[in-house]
Amino acid sequence: MSVVTIREYGVLFPDDVDTTAVKKDIDSRVISKTAWDWLLKETGADAHKFLVRPFRRSGLLCLQVMNYVGVITTPCGCQIEVLPKIYAGDSSAKGELELGRDKLYTMLCSIGSLPFKTFHQASLKLFEKPLPEVLIHQFLMDTRKLIKQGIRNDYVALREEAPFLRGKLQLAAQVRQPVARQHLFQIEHDEFLPDRAENRLIHSALIAVSKYSKTNSNKRLANELLFMFDEIPISRNKKMDFSKWQLKDRSMVHYRPLKRWCELVLNQQSPFSLAGDSSGLSFLFPMNVLFEKYVAVVLRKQLSDGYELEEQVASKHLVEKFGEFGKQKFQLKPDLVIKKKEEDISSVLDTKWKRVDENDEASKYGVSQSDMYQMFAYGKKYLNDGKGSLFLIYPESEKFQAALPVFRFEEGLNLWVVPFKWSTLKGEEGYVEFGSTSSEFIEQNKQEKHSMRPH
């Protein structure tokens, strides 16, 4: 199985064309023709048309990866790892890829999409491995921890034929016994065994990752753990076994992190699983949604006491009355709003996973006109008397390091375009850089003990 790592909006070429004129870097890769053909075919299906799109570069037809991050596994076994385009601060390809993986893990961990844990210094070398291998490693480590804490048993009803009575005699089955087998008893009894739904699913997931993994360390650890589950059967009905997973039982608390891993590995509840005959680990996250949720988590930690943040508020409409019955039309749903507890909204914020150039005033810095219209509508509808502060939050890049000059819609209604700053330390969250803006809640934060930057 080949593993190809590329960043979002990078391009993929088939290996049957001459790509000598194409620069090979982290945004331009070559994959097998079979994998390329499968991706091209998938772009024609409505459910997958956002994965890639046909594109031309240097006169050659290629496929451009869209703004979804994660792993695509093709039926031929090619794994395509798609990483977010994160500002690295240095121009080395290795540094940019490692930072992209690190920030993707941090975001997934923060928003709770997957049960990631903070990586210790001894595990930082994992960031050099492809995304699937790190996922597999974390699943295996969680499984090893579960084994140390103890595999739970449960009473299992067994029916068997035995030369002695034990449990309950099955009268109907006993009556039908042939004369030559009258000395044997048809019995039913309970035994305390590890054959329970949770263990069957974990065993199935271990078998799956042992096949997916291509690194010796992961394969060796998977085989060691499989030995511990050797007497436990695999799951024959995964949907039913997931429904039987005990989440409220206190004795099963240490099993909880494994449920999401099993759902991901067994394709029961992944963020996005590819359809088709792909037999590998495939999942994708929409980067714009991931960024929005991550900013909300980080910003909630930045706010001082007395302020609260709400997500996806949808209480206002652009048209309050429409038609003879006065129906509302065109719902307005800003990503984030900030308000003092039990008071009106003081600020409206929207996140955009787009590029901004703080030096390109002629092109309006890259801020789209539709975004400006959208923010103006939010301000007029959600802020008290249409007065207050609006914020557009874009990711930090080499061309966007500080807040743009204030955009004044009208007296008392201002918009700031501010960067989300990425932490340069692995495993650490970033922060929203508000700069010298004069929003009421930011001025309050500056005067209180809580810093706008996380401690």
Side-chain angles (χ1 to χ4, degrees):
M1 178 185 290
S2 61
V3 179
V4 177
T5 302
I6 194 169
R7 297 194 301 184
E8 55 177 335
Y9 294 112
V11 294
L12 299 168
F13 293 92
D15 59 4
D16 66 336
V17 299
D18 184 9
T19 58
T20 53
V22 179
K23 181 182 178 182
K24 309 297 191 305
D25 55 20
I26 57 177
D27 295 319
S28 178
R29 299 295 195 192
V30 176
I31 60 175
S32 67
K33 183 63 165 58
T34 53
W36 195 89
D37 287 342
W38 180 81
L39 285 173
L40 181 62
K41 179 183 176 182
E42 288 299 307
T43 60
D46 291 340
H48 308 300
K49 62 183 179 182
F50 49 76
L51 290 180
V52 293
R53 67 172 181 179
F55 195 73
R56 281 202 173 272
R57 177 170 293 182
S58 301
L60 298 175
L61 180 64
C62 58
L63 296 176
Q64 185 178 43
V65 179
M66 303 307 290
N67 64 328
Y68 278 74
V69 294
V71 177
I72 306 170
T73 304
T74 67
C76 65
C78 177
Q79 281 187 345
I80 303 170
E81 177 190 19
V82 185
L83 298 178
K85 190 170 282 190
I86 304 291
Y87 172 62
D90 61 56
S91 57
S92 67
K94 182 179 180 181
E96 291 184 359
L97 289 180
E98 284 189 20
L99 187 64
R101 285 197 190 103
D102 168 47
K103 296 312 172 189
L104 177 56
Y105 305 148
T106 304
M107 284 188 280
L108 294 175
C109 176
S110 298
I111 68 175
S113 288
L114 288 174
F116 285 118
K117 294 178 175 60
T118 303
F119 287 85
H120 300 291
Q121 290 296 323
S123 301
L124 292 183
K125 61 183 180 181
L126 289 172
F127 293 124
E128 299 179 4
K129 296 181 179 179
L131 183 60
E133 295 300 334
V134 180
L135 290 174
I136 290 172
H137 178 80
Q138 286 300 108
F139 167 66
L140 295 176
M141 296 302 291
D142 281 353
T143 305
R144 186 168 70 173
K145 181 180 178 181
L146 178 140
I147 292 174
K148 289 181 179 179
Q149 292 177 306
I151 296 176
R152 291 291 178 262
N153 291 7
D154 199 2
Y155 286 102
V156 179
L158 298 177
R159 289 189 178 187
E160 62 179 344
E161 186 180 72
F164 51 82
L165 279 174
R166 181 183 180 186
K168 293 189 300 183
L169 178 66
Q170 299 297 303
L171 291 176
Q174 188 66 37
V175 170
R176 294 194 296 268
Q177 279 280 72
V179 176
R181 303 183 67 82
Q182 288 291 330
H183 63 290
L184 299 175
F185 299 96
Q186 300 295 322
I187 60 175
E188 181 180 0
H189 60 94
D190 292 339
E191 284 198 21
F192 198 55
L193 300 172
D195 182 12
R196 56 184 300 160
E198 298 88 348
N199 294 333
R200 291 195 295 269
L201 289 169
I202 295 172
H203 188 187
S204 300
L206 284 172
I207 292 175
V209 299
S210 68
K211 295 178 180 178
Y212 299 156
S213 179
K214 298 302 173 185
T215 62
N216 293 331
S217 58
N218 281 345
K219 276 188 168 296
R220 182 170 57 252
L221 181 55
N223 289 331
E224 291 174 3
L225 298 177
L226 279 171
F227 177 76
M228 303 300 296
F229 284 81
D230 187 53
E231 296 182 358
I232 302 172
I234 63 173
S235 176
R236 300 296 181 184
N237 189 330
K238 297 181 179 63
K239 185 176 181 179
M240 181 180 294
D241 281 346
F242 274 116
S243 67
K244 293 180 178 179
W245 194 296
Q246 296 292 327
L247 295 174
K248 296 182 180 180
D249 190 342
R250 290 187 177 181
S251 66
M252 299 288 292
V253 171
H254 60 301
Y255 271 77
R256 290 178 185 173
L258 271 298
K259 185 172 187 287
R260 280 196 242 171
W261 282 120
C262 291
E263 288 170 341
L264 174 65
V265 173
L266 300 174
N267 288 325
Q268 291 293 312
Q269 191 184 342
S270 62
F272 177 80
S273 295
L274 295 178
D277 299 325
S278 176
S279 59
L281 195 64
S282 297
F283 59 94
L284 293 171
F285 299 88
M287 194 58 213
N288 52 344
V289 176
L290 189 62
F291 181 63
E292 173 192 324
K293 292 183 178 296
Y294 181 57
V295 170
V297 170
V298 172
L299 188 57
R300 191 170 278 114
K301 296 177 182 179
Q302 288 186 239
L303 292 179
S304 299
D305 294 337
Y307 291 88
E308 57 185 20
L309 182 140
E310 295 183 15
E311 301 178 50
Q312 295 295 318
V313 176
S315 58
K316 301 293 184 181
H317 292 74
L318 190 61
V319 177
E320 295 297 337
K321 292 185 178 181
F322 178 79
E324 57 180 316
F325 299 106
K327 292 183 179 180
Q328 296 173 318
K329 293 289 184 181
F330 307 108
Q331 188 179 60
L332 297 173
K333 188 184 291 187
D335 294 338
L336 308 166
V337 298
I338 294 177
K339 62 180 182 179
K340 285 187 177 181
K341 293 180 179 178
E342 300 180 358
E343 292 188 13
D344 293 332
I345 295 172
S346 61
S347 298
V348 177
L349 307 90
D350 226 45
T351 62
K352 304 292 181 183
W353 184 251
K354 300 177 182 177
R355 292 271 172 160
V356 170
D357 188 347
E358 62 188 40
N359 299 313
D360 190 5
E361 185 178 356
S363 299
K364 306 182 185 67
Y365 307 102
V367 179
S368 71
Q369 194 157 322
S370 60
D371 290 342
M372 298 296 285
Y373 289 152
Q374 184 183 50
M375 296 306 294
F376 180 71
Y378 289 162
K380 298 298 288 185
K381 290 293 183 176
Y382 278 96
L383 297 179
N384 189 26
D385 297 325
K387 308 294 182 183
S389 300
L390 304 165
F391 292 89
L392 273 175
I393 303 173
Y394 291 84
E396 173 194 19
S397 68
E398 64 277 8
K399 296 182 179 180
F400 185 43
Q401 296 288 306
L404 298 181
V406 61
F407 292 90
R408 301 195 184 278
F409 287 121
E410 57 186 36
E411 187 64 30
L413 184 60
N414 302 318
L415 169 69
W416 282 271
V417 177
V418 298
F420 180 87
K421 306 286 281 188
W422 302 105
S423 171
T424 57
L425 299 177
K426 289 184 177 179
E428 284 201 3
E429 296 176 345
Y431 59 92
V432 181
E433 179 61 84
F434 289 100
S436 58
T437 56
S438 57
S439 153
E440 177 188 349
F441 79 92
I442 294 177
E443 288 299 323
Q444 179 74 11
N445 282 335
K446 290 180 179 178
Q447 296 170 11
E448 296 181 2
K449 294 181 181 179
H450 296 273
S451 170
M452 287 305 295
R453 297 190 182 191
H455 296 291

